[in-house]
C-alpha cells in the first residue's frame, strides 16, 4: 500500500528480492484497490490477494491539515490499519506498518524508548497511535516501525524545500529547538527488508520498534548541513550557512503542535535484528547527491 510515497517507493526496491511483490496505490487496478479510505474495497483486495506479508506505507501525512480533516486522518491512519490487521490475522500474514515520533509529547531530552508512555500533541499523532494500538489489539503478526523526519531523493520534504529556498532567498530562519534524526526512506526500506526476513523465520522478533538514523540534530542543524553541501558542490545559494538563523518553535506557530524532543532510541531494533544505524548525515548527503549532484 502507498507504493508512491517516500517509503513506499523505496520499499518497492528493497522488498523485490524477497518474493513476488504486488504494489497498490489509492487507485484501483484489476478490481484491486489500495485506497485506505475505501474500507470494503481494501478488505476484499486483501482477501483476493491472500499475501504472506502486507506492507502498509500509505498514511495521511499532512500533519497540519489533519487538524481540520480529522475524520479522514482517523479513517486512513487508524481505521484502515485495523482492517488490514483483521485480514492479516485471518490469513496469518505479517503486517508491516509505520508510525511516528509524534506519538510522544516531546518532553525531556533523552531518546524515547518503545516502552515510554505516549501522549500525542496533535491529531495526526493521535491517529497514528490509534493505528498502532489497533494492530497490537488485533493479535495479528506485525512489525511496527516508528520513524522520524522522513526524507527521500524524490518527493517533497524538508530537504528539497530547504535546498530550493536557499537559492531563492537571501536569508532563512529555521527552528532550532525541535531535535530528532532525519531518516531516509532508503534506510527505512532496507531495515524493513532485513526485519521481514528475520521475523518470518522467528516470530519472537515481531513487535514495535523505533527506526531512525543515528545521531541527532535540530531543523536548523539539518538546514545548515544542506547549505554546506550545496556550497561544497559549487551550487550557488544566497542563504549561506551564516545567513540561516535559528528560531524557537514559538516564533513559528502552526495549526498542529510539534514535539520538541523527537529523539528515538534504536537500541532495541539494533539488538534484535543485528543492525547498526548509520549517522543521519550519510543518508542526507546521498539524497542531496541523487537529487542535485
Ligand atoms: P508520504 O506522504 O511520502 O506518502 C504517503 C503515501 O500515502 C502517499 O503515496 C499517498 O498517496 C498515500 N495515501 C494517502 N492517502 C491514501 C489513501 N486514502 N489511500 C491510499 N494511499 C494513500 O509518506 P512517507 O512515505 O513519508 O511516510 C511513510 C510512513 O512513515 C507513514 O506511516 C507516516 O505516517 C510515517 N512517518 C512519516 C514521517 C515523515 O516525516 N514523512 C515521519 C514519521 C513517520 P498519494 O501519493 O496518492 O497522495
Amino acid at each position: 500500500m502507498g507504493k508512491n510515497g517516500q517509503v513506499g517507493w523505496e520499499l518497492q526496491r528493497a522488498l523485490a528480492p524477497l518474493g513476488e511483490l504486488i504494489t497498490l496505490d489509492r487507485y484501483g487496478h484489476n478490481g484491486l484497490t489500495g485506497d485506505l479510505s475505501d474500507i470494503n474495497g481494501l478488505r476484499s483486495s486483501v482477501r483476493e490477494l491472500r499475501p504472506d506479508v502486507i506492507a502498509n506505507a500509505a498514511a495521511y501525512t499532512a500533519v497540519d491539515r489533519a487538524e481540520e480533516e480529522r475524520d479522514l486522518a482517523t479513517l486512513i491512519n487508524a481505521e484502515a490499519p485495523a482492517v488490514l490487521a483483521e485480514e492479516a490475522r485471518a490469513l496469518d500474514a505479517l503486517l508491516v506498518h509505520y508510525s511516528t515520533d509524534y506519538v510522544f509529547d516531546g518532553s525531556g531530552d533523552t531518546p524515547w524508548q518503545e516502552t515510554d508512555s505516549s501522549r500525542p500533541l496533535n491529531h495526526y499523532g493521535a491517529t497514528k497511535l490509534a493505528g498502532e494500538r489497533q494492530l497490537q489489539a488485533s493479535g495479528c503478526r506485525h512489525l511496527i516501525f516508528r520513524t522520524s523526519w522522513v526524507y527521500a531523493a524524490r518527493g517533497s520534504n524538508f530537504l528539497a524545500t530547504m535546498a530550493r529556498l536557499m537559492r531563492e532567498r537571501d536569508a532563512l530562519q529555521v527552528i532550532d529547538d525541535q531535535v530528532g534524526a532525519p531518516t531516509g526512506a532508503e534506510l527505512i526500506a532496507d531495515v524493513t527488508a532485513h526485519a521481514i526476513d528475520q521475523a518470518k523465520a522467528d516470530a519472537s522478533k515481531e513487535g514495535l520498534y523505533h527506526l531512525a538514523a543515528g545521531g541527532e540534530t535540530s531543523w536548523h542543524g539539518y538546514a545548515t548541513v544542506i547549505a554546506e553541501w550545496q556550497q561544497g558542490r559549487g551550487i550557488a545559494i544566497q542563504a549561506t550557512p551564516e545567513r540561516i538563523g535559528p528560531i524557537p518553535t514559538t516564533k513559528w506557530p502552526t495549526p498542529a503542535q510539534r514535539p520538541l524532543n523527537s529523539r528515538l532510541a534504536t537500541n532495541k531494533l539494533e539488538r534484535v535484528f543485528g543492525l547498526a544505524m548509520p549517522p543521519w548525515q550519510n543518508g542526507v548527503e546521498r539524497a542531496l547527491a541523487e537529487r542535485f549532484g
Side-chain angles (χ1 to χ4, degrees):
M1 316 288 164
K3 68 174 186 167
N4 297 317
Q6 300 189 90
V7 172
W9 182 258
E10 290 298 331
L11 280 175
Q12 291 192 56
R13 170 190 57 75
L15 302 188
L18 298 186
E20 188 193 358
L21 190 62
I22 294 164
T23 58
L24 296 173
D25 58 20
R26 68 167 87 219
Y27 312 105
H29 303 285
N30 303 328
L32 300 170
T33 183
D35 182 354
L36 268 57
S37 66
D38 174 5
I39 296 290
N40 292 334
L42 197 60
R43 195 186 288 285
S44 56
S45 296
V46 176
R47 286 185 184 177
E48 166 126 16
L49 287 168
R50 304 187 61 78
D52 296 327
V53 178
I54 302 169
N56 176 32
Y60 185 106
T61 54
V63 176
D64 288 316
R65 203 164 3 113
E67 296 297 314
E68 291 195 353
E69 291 187 328
R70 297 175 80 86
D71 291 348
L72 184 60
T74 302
L75 178 62
I76 294 170
N77 290 348
E79 294 169 24
V83 169
L84 292 177
E86 259 175 56
E87 296 305 317
R89 168 99 205 255
L91 293 168
D92 196 30
L94 177 67
L95 176 56
V96 180
H97 184 72
Y98 298 92
S99 187
T100 170
D101 54 295
Y102 283 14
V103 300
F104 294 114
D105 67 7
S107 57
D109 56 9
T110 52
W112 297 102
Q113 302 281 345
E114 288 82 353
T115 46
D116 287 334
S117 304
S118 38
R119 192 179 74 87
L121 298 177
N122 55 48
H123 186 63
Y124 166 77
T127 64
K128 295 296 294 183
L129 180 60
E132 290 181 7
R133 290 189 170 153
Q134 295 281 10
L135 260 71
Q136 289 162 333
S138 73
C140 77
R141 297 171 52 206
H142 64 265
L143 286 167
I144 301 171
F145 298 110
R146 287 186 186 142
T147 188
S148 65
W149 300 13
V150 179
Y151 65 86
R154 70 195 280 284
S156 50
N157 48 49
F158 179 89
L159 178 145
T161 304
M162 277 294 142
R164 176 176 53 78
L165 288 177
M166 284 162 195
R167 297 173 203 172
E168 294 173 0
R169 301 204 189 154
D170 61 3
L172 292 171
Q173 292 192 310
V174 185
I175 288 170
D176 76 335
D177 59 357
Q178 292 175 24
V179 176
T183 302
E186 276 186 347
L187 177 66
I188 296 169
D190 290 342
V191 169
T192 300
H194 280 286
I196 289 175
D197 197 39
Q198 294 186 34
K200 278 180 75 177
D202 179 355
S204 72
K205 296 189 174 186
E206 293 167 11
L208 171 68
Y209 295 92
H210 289 175
L211 194 184
E216 63 182 52
T217 188
S218 66
W219 294 110
H220 177 266
Y222 184 8
T224 303
V225 164
I226 296 168
E228 287 170 350
W229 184 89
Q230 295 202 89
Q231 277 190 318
R233 289 293 173 109
I235 297 171
I237 55 170
Q238 298 188 65
T240 51
E242 52 292 350
R243 298 182 66 80
I244 301 175
I247 53 162
T249 301
T250 48
K251 288 271 166 54
W252 191 269
T254 50
Q257 196 186 339
R258 265 80 170 165
L260 297 181
N261 175 18
S262 281
R263 299 168 181 89
L264 294 175
T266 57
N267 43 312
K268 180 183 174 195
L269 178 91
E270 295 179 294
R271 179 175 38 81
V272 171
F273 294 108
L275 299 170
M277 292 301 101
W280 65 269
Q281 295 92 334
N282 291 14
V284 164
E285 285 169 11
R286 197 180 154 84
L288 286 165
E290 277 184 41
R291 198 156 192 144
F292 307 110

